[in-house]
Amino acid sequence: MTRRRDGAANVRRALLPRTRLNRRLLAWFLVFSLVPLIATNAVGYYRTKAIIEDLFQTYLKGIARTQAQHVQDRVERHALALQAIVAGNAFLVAGVRQAMGLPAGEMGRVATRAAMNDLLANKRRELGDWATLFLFTPQGRVLAYAGDSSRVVPVEVRGTAPPRVTSIRTSATDSPPGFRFVVALAAPSGEPLAYLGGTITMDAFHRLLALPPHLAGRTETAIVDQRGRLLYLSHPMATTDYEVPISSPLLRFSAGTVARYTGIEGRQVIGTVEPIPGPQWRLVAEVPEDAAFGELSRLGGLSLVLELLLGLALIIAAWIVAEDVVAPISRLVDATRRVAGGDLGTRVKVQARDETGELGYAFNEMTATLEATTRRVDELHARDMQRAAQLATVGELA
């Protein structure tokens, strides 16, 4: 009967999962320490990234808006320089009327074509940036000019408002464009009589805009016309093609849109677009993605390394704690097996004054009591056996 009970106990013990207590303690310790730590760091990192992205987009749109307004102001300033030449200039009015075969009065005798050329030449030297200045009729006929004749590009004007600023391409297709400014020369009646045009080169246009090559760190600025062709690039490359429209997806979106895409230089960038109302251009501001979020990515990598190191430290600490908890229990298990094998003198060494220490004291008291009880039972058994032997001897004698 006893063998049957011991066999059933062994079967039940064999069917129990063989998971050591120290491993379970280690697992639970890691679950309640590492998981909250990793979750907190991950949530904090991505929340911080979202906040930084929002701030960066606001910052980038602010820069683009400021630059677009700056370009507009600089363009208007140069247009006003031409406007100052023709405003109330009776000499040019008389010269134009004389060249067009209209009554010019006394002033028409001195306002010859050569005299107008000299006046334009003097104004060109005073202003400095202009490649050429030229007077032309609404039909596009040139009446006088000063400067590079290849840059004299009149335009046929329809209506009363001339095109103020436009890009022009008068040379080879692989060359940067030039820029033409046009203002009206009004007759005494106020009607446009002719137009004064001025052209500047790309280099002069860069000086006109007075934009730094790298505004606010690594921000790159590009100005494009209505077809998306480059008019200005803050950091031009040797392979820059001014005839091919750029491939920025921003040109299909409304003003203020922020997007990620492959930029002009072939790198992943974050960009935004702003209109320049006067000449109907658009300004594209781009920042390389690694420059915008490089520090944040490096911070994320450093945080990951620190999490791994902290996780390793927690594993070591958890293992030590688990072993410290499990070791006394393991000693008790071994002692219990020795007692079950008949070694009633087994005692455990108590090293702690906690629950495991109390368990050790209780075990030692139990084994001491069991040993004393067993000894008493053995003594009584020996006495009974001796009495039984005596009775048997008496019986034999009887």
Side-chain angles (χ1 to χ4, degrees), residues 15 50 78 93 137 155-156 192 285 294 308 320 340-342 345 348 389:
L15 293 176
H78 275 62
V93 171
T137 65
V155 60
E156 184 174 347
L308 292 177
I320 294 174
V348 294

Side-chain angles (χ1 to χ4, degrees), residues 45 48-57 260 269-270 287-300:
Y45 173 78
T48 302
K49 184 178 180 181
I51 293 173
I52 291 177
E53 285 185 354
D54 290 341
L55 291 175
F56 177 78
Q57 291 182 9
R260 284 182 170 89
V269 299
I270 301 174
V287 177
E289 193 167 5
D290 58 348
F293 303 114
E295 289 297 329
L296 183 62
S297 299
R298 285 187 285 272
L299 179 60

Side-chain angles (χ1 to χ4, degrees), residues 25-257:
L25 289 174
L26 177 62
W28 282 111
F29 186 85
L30 294 179
V31 165
F32 286 107
S33 59
L34 281 183
V35 171
L37 174 65
I38 294 174
T40 301
N41 284 353
V43 171
Y45 173 78
Y46 286 107
R47 181 56 183 164
T48 302
K49 184 178 180 181
I51 293 173
I52 291 177
E53 285 185 354
D54 290 341
L55 291 175
F56 177 78
Q57 291 182 9
T58 303
Y59 155 83
L60 185 62
K61 288 190 287 187
I63 287 180
R65 195 176 302 113
T66 302
Q67 286 185 313
Q69 185 60 52
H70 173 79
V71 171
Q72 174 72 15
D73 293 343
R74 297 291 294 184
V75 168
E76 289 294 333
R77 178 179 176 180
H78 275 62
L80 288 174
L82 292 187
Q83 190 69 48
I85 296 176
V86 298
N89 196 322
F91 179 82
L92 286 181
V93 171
V96 168
R97 294 181 65 86
Q98 177 72 18
M100 296 175 65
L102 300 175
E106 295 294 328
M107 185 72 72
R109 298 180 181 179
V110 295
T112 62
R113 182 185 181 94
M116 288 192 295
N117 289 343
D118 291 340
L119 174 62
L120 294 180
N122 291 332
K123 295 297 182 180
R124 178 173 170 269
R125 283 192 295 269
E126 291 176 7
L127 298 177
D129 287 336
W130 300 95
T132 182
L133 294 175
F134 54 95
L135 276 171
F136 62 96
T137 65
Q139 293 75 30
R141 181 167 67 93
V142 178
L143 303 177
Y145 78 93
D148 185 359
S149 61
S150 65
R151 295 282 180 176
V152 177
V153 187
V155 60
E156 184 174 347
V157 179
R158 296 174 181 173
T160 58
R164 297 293 297 272
V165 184
T166 54
S167 61
I168 54 173
R169 289 166 167 81
T170 59
S171 55
T173 57
D174 59 349
S175 298
F179 299 87
R180 175 181 56 208
F181 291 69
V182 176
V183 295
L185 173 65
S189 61
E191 294 294 325
L193 179 64
Y195 298 95
L196 174 65
T199 58
I200 60 175
T201 62
M202 175 63 78
D203 292 338
F205 187 65
H206 276 248
R207 293 192 298 271
L208 178 156
L209 297 182
L211 288 172
H214 293 286
L215 180 64
R218 295 175 61 183
T219 303
E220 298 286 357
T221 301
I223 298 175
V224 298
D225 61 14
Q226 296 178 3
R227 294 171 53 185
R229 296 179 299 179
L230 276 173
L231 302 177
Y232 169 86
L233 189 61
S234 59
H235 187 233
M237 301 172 291
T239 57
T240 301
D241 191 341
Y242 291 89
E243 288 295 320
V244 178
I246 64 174
S247 58
S248 172
L250 291 173
L251 301 183
R252 301 190 297 270
F253 300 145
S254 59
T257 301

Side-chain angles (χ1 to χ4, degrees), residues 380-398:
L380 293 175
H381 178 69
R383 188 179 301 171
D384 290 341
M385 292 299 293
Q386 185 179 4
R387 184 179 299 174
Q390 292 174 353
L391 291 174
T393 301
V394 172
E396 291 178 357
L397 289 176

